[in-house]
Amino acid sequence: MANHQSAIKRIRQSEKKRVHNKYYAKTARNAVRKLRATSDKEAANELLPKVTAMLDKLAKINVIHKNKAANLKSKLASHVNKL
């Protein structure tokens, strides 16, 4: 266990950020799943910009890697175009 005050505070901060990041990453994963499951072209076209923005924001704050965000956006765009 940490002995210094700064180390104890860092543990508190890390845990808080971990829970925050976990929530937003899970929300994004569910949005991606929902978009992939969509077979309606209009609904998918409406959902794609929202999911893309979500992935960009997560990549910007380093919750997910920028290349992972780019790969997901590319795959989702090609999925929507195939509909």
Side-chain angles (χ1 to χ4, degrees):
M1 187 59 201
N3 291 324
H4 294 287
Q5 189 66 34
S6 60
I8 293 169
K9 181 178 179 181
R10 179 56 68 184
I11 289 170
R12 280 199 317 265
Q13 289 174 330
S14 299
E15 177 63 18
K16 192 173 180 180
K17 284 184 181 183
R18 185 187 70 81
V19 170
H20 179 268
N21 290 344
K22 186 176 158 187
Y23 169 77
Y24 283 103
K26 183 67 174 178
T27 304
R29 277 200 305 273
N30 286 338
V32 169
R33 258 190 224 115
K34 184 178 177 185
L35 181 56
R36 282 197 180 132
T38 304
S39 58
D40 181 27
K41 176 82 169 172
E42 291 175 12
N45 278 330
E46 186 178 308
L47 205 56
L48 183 63
K50 293 176 184 173
V51 175
T52 301
M54 190 183 293
L55 292 172
D56 284 335
K57 285 176 188 170
L58 290 179
K60 183 179 178 183
I61 59 173
N62 292 321
V63 174
I64 62 173
H65 196 274
K66 63 178 185 171
N67 290 350
K68 181 177 179 67
N71 288 336
L72 284 171
K73 290 188 324 187
S74 173
K75 294 256 174 74
L76 291 172
S78 65
H79 169 72
V80 170
N81 288 335
K82 285 180 187 174
L83 292 177

